[in-house]
Amino acid sequence: MRAFQLVKWQQPPELREVPVPEPGPGQVLVKVGGAGACHSDLHIMQAPAALGEGTRLPFTLGHENAGWVDTPGPGVTGFASGDPVIVYGPWGCGLCANCRKGRENYCQHTSGQGGGLGSHDGGMADYLLVPASRFLIPLGTLDPREAAPLTDAALTSYHAVKRSLHLLGAGSTAVVIGTGGLGQMAIQILRAISTATTIVAVDTTAAKLEIATHMGADETLLSGDQAVTRIKDITRGQGAELVLDMVGVEPTLRMAARVARVLGHITLVGLGGGAVPVNFSSPPHECSVAAPYWGYIPELMEVIVLAQQQKIKVLIEHFPLEQAAEAYRLLHDGKIQGRAVITPHA
Ligand code: NAD
Ligand code: ZN
Ligand code: ZN
């Protein structure tokens, strides 16, 4: 089968011919419908060397996967060939306290890496080997080619919003910095589950802000000092209850610290590698900061329901497997409007 693999650090990935994996006991072979191209893959491709424990080269990229069950391994029940499924991405041990709560992203025994992140092959291939059927969620009527980004772009955003819902009462303000693949989902999720919150979208490009308006943002602002002034105006000088930084470079984090309010919260989602100093008055008093990684299995089930109810929808551009490199080039250049999804079986 074909697989789009990272072969050498800091070298372009290659489309290679590899054997179709055979599912062992408890495992499931999935025929890939869609594999989303996440900005994290660009960070991985640019990384100087191994990302974490268990990382090895070569490995197949693609950690945002959906498809159809091809072959359930021995002992697998509840799934049959042809079932449309989405793949929960962070693969934990399944047995530690966090895993038993469905929080395999925070497994206490593994790095919480799944396929496509260095330790296992990912979904930018004809087939994906999923190590346990508990990582599969049925898609029902959703098409895997349209649904794939729900398992990362939407799940990560859903987790980030849901853990701060207690801050988002009527009249509250949430700021989303960076309205690409993840930010667009965060806006729609805020719109769907926190209806009385004012949503402010911030990006560096006008085109992305126009999309943000269609996705439900109440106000859109170009990144910079004027955005800070305007957010202070909207919130009568108080700042926002919740700031989601989907970029994570120093300028966006600095902006986040300036637009968050006393007792508010800053969520750092972007892997831009930025940092800001903490002192007595910045971030504001009792404003907390957290950097969540991905989301929980039950939350992915909730995300699927939101999509089935048509409350969230990913803006997708499809690419055949042969054009995976081109999809990443466009993503790197800021030319993907929403999410690029690779479809090996288009
Ligand atoms: P993307 O390329 O689709 O979107 C990034 C957006 O940020 C673009 O619209 C871009 O114009 C905008 N942007 C860039 N610089 C900006 C600035 N200074 N101010 C405002 N906007 C700016 O990327 P994505 O796939 O949505 O990923 C976003 C980030 O989230 C990446 O760093 C990715 O690695 C990270 N990520 C984190 C997790 C997690 O679990 N924490 C999960 C997935 C992705
Ligand atoms: Zn990702
Ligand atoms: Zn575990």
Side-chain angles (χ1 to χ4, degrees):
M1 67 171 189
R2 302 160 306 160
F4 189 63
Q5 296 197 319
L6 192 65
V7 182
K8 278 195 193 133
W9 296 110
Q10 294 182 312
Q11 294 296 317
E14 298 170 21
L15 192 61
R16 305 171 87 211
E17 198 58 32
V18 300
V20 178
E22 277 212 10
Q27 302 180 333
V28 181
L29 187 68
V30 171
K31 181 175 168 182
V32 178
C38 176
H39 204 111
S40 297
D41 297 326
L42 296 178
H43 296 309
I44 292 170
M45 290 175 202
Q46 287 153 6
L51 301 156
E53 226 175 287
T55 305
R56 41 87 182 160
L57 290 174
F59 69 90
T60 307
L61 286 159
H63 57 272
E64 197 177 73
N65 306 308
W68 303 272
V69 170
D70 183 82
T71 313
V76 170
T77 55
F79 291 96
S81 183
D83 286 354
V85 289
I86 194 159
V87 183
Y88 176 76
W91 296 339
C93 72
L95 295 172
C96 72
N98 286 347
C99 283
R100 284 173 188 267
K101 290 177 188 145
R103 302 172 177 179
E104 302 219 12
N105 51 327
Y106 297 136
C107 175
Q108 292 156 253
H109 296 144
T110 73
S111 63
Q113 275 190 19
L117 293 169
S119 57
H120 300 78
D121 286 326
M124 293 207 178
D126 290 306
Y127 296 91
L128 167 68
L129 183 65
V130 178
S133 58
R134 70 175 187 281
F135 299 131
L136 301 179
I137 310 290
L139 277 173
T141 53
L142 298 175
D143 182 335
R145 288 163 287 217
E146 306 292 329
L150 296 174
T151 193
D152 179 17
L155 174 58
T156 302
S157 302
Y158 186 77
H159 177 74
V161 170
K162 197 177 169 188
R163 62 188 292 285
S164 290
L165 267 185
H166 61 287
L167 295 173
L168 300 177
S172 59
T173 303
V175 176
V176 179
I177 304 174
T179 62
L182 268 72
Q184 292 173 17
M185 298 316 299
I187 292 166
Q188 294 181 67
I189 288 161
L190 281 161
R191 187 80 298 148
I193 67 174
S194 188
T195 46
T197 294
T198 298
I199 304 165
V200 181
V202 182
D203 204 287
T204 42
T205 75
K208 285 283 169 62
L209 292 177
E210 207 180 310
I211 296 167
T213 302
H214 291 300
M215 300 272 170
D218 297 295
E219 180 118 13
T220 58
L221 302 168
L222 283 170
S223 222
D225 283 344
Q226 327 83 289
V228 175
T229 308
R230 178 68 189 145
I231 291 166
K232 284 291 172 66
D233 282 352
I234 297 170
T235 57
R236 291 178 296 283
Q238 300 301 301
E241 277 80 358
L242 176 63
V243 183
L244 301 174
D245 185 349
M246 309 310 220
V247 184
V249 294
E250 198 184 307
T252 57
L253 272 173
R254 224 180 302 124
M255 184 173 12
R258 287 171 73 197
V259 302
R261 72 163 60 191
V262 167
L263 294 167
H265 184 72
I266 297 168
T267 312
L268 168 57
V269 177
L271 307 182
V276 277
V278 174
N279 59 44
F280 187 67
S281 50
S282 178
H285 299 303
E286 297 199 36
C287 173
S288 53
V289 181
Y293 172 62
W294 228 321
Y296 306 151
I297 294 178
E299 291 175 334
L300 178 55
M301 299 172 83
E302 292 169 20
V303 165
I304 300 305
V305 172
L306 276 181
Q308 285 168 339
Q309 294 174 343
Q310 298 179 8
K311 299 219 164 99
I312 57 173
K313 190 164 176 22
V314 192
L315 178 60
I316 289 182
E317 290 160 66
H318 288 127
F319 294 83
L321 194 49
E322 299 74 30
Q323 282 177 27
E326 170 70 358
Y328 281 116
R329 196 184 59 74
L330 293 169
L331 180 67
H332 175 269
D333 293 346
K335 292 194 176 133
I336 297 292
Q337 290 198 310
R339 201 63 152 179
V341 171
I342 311 305
T343 53
H345 299 280

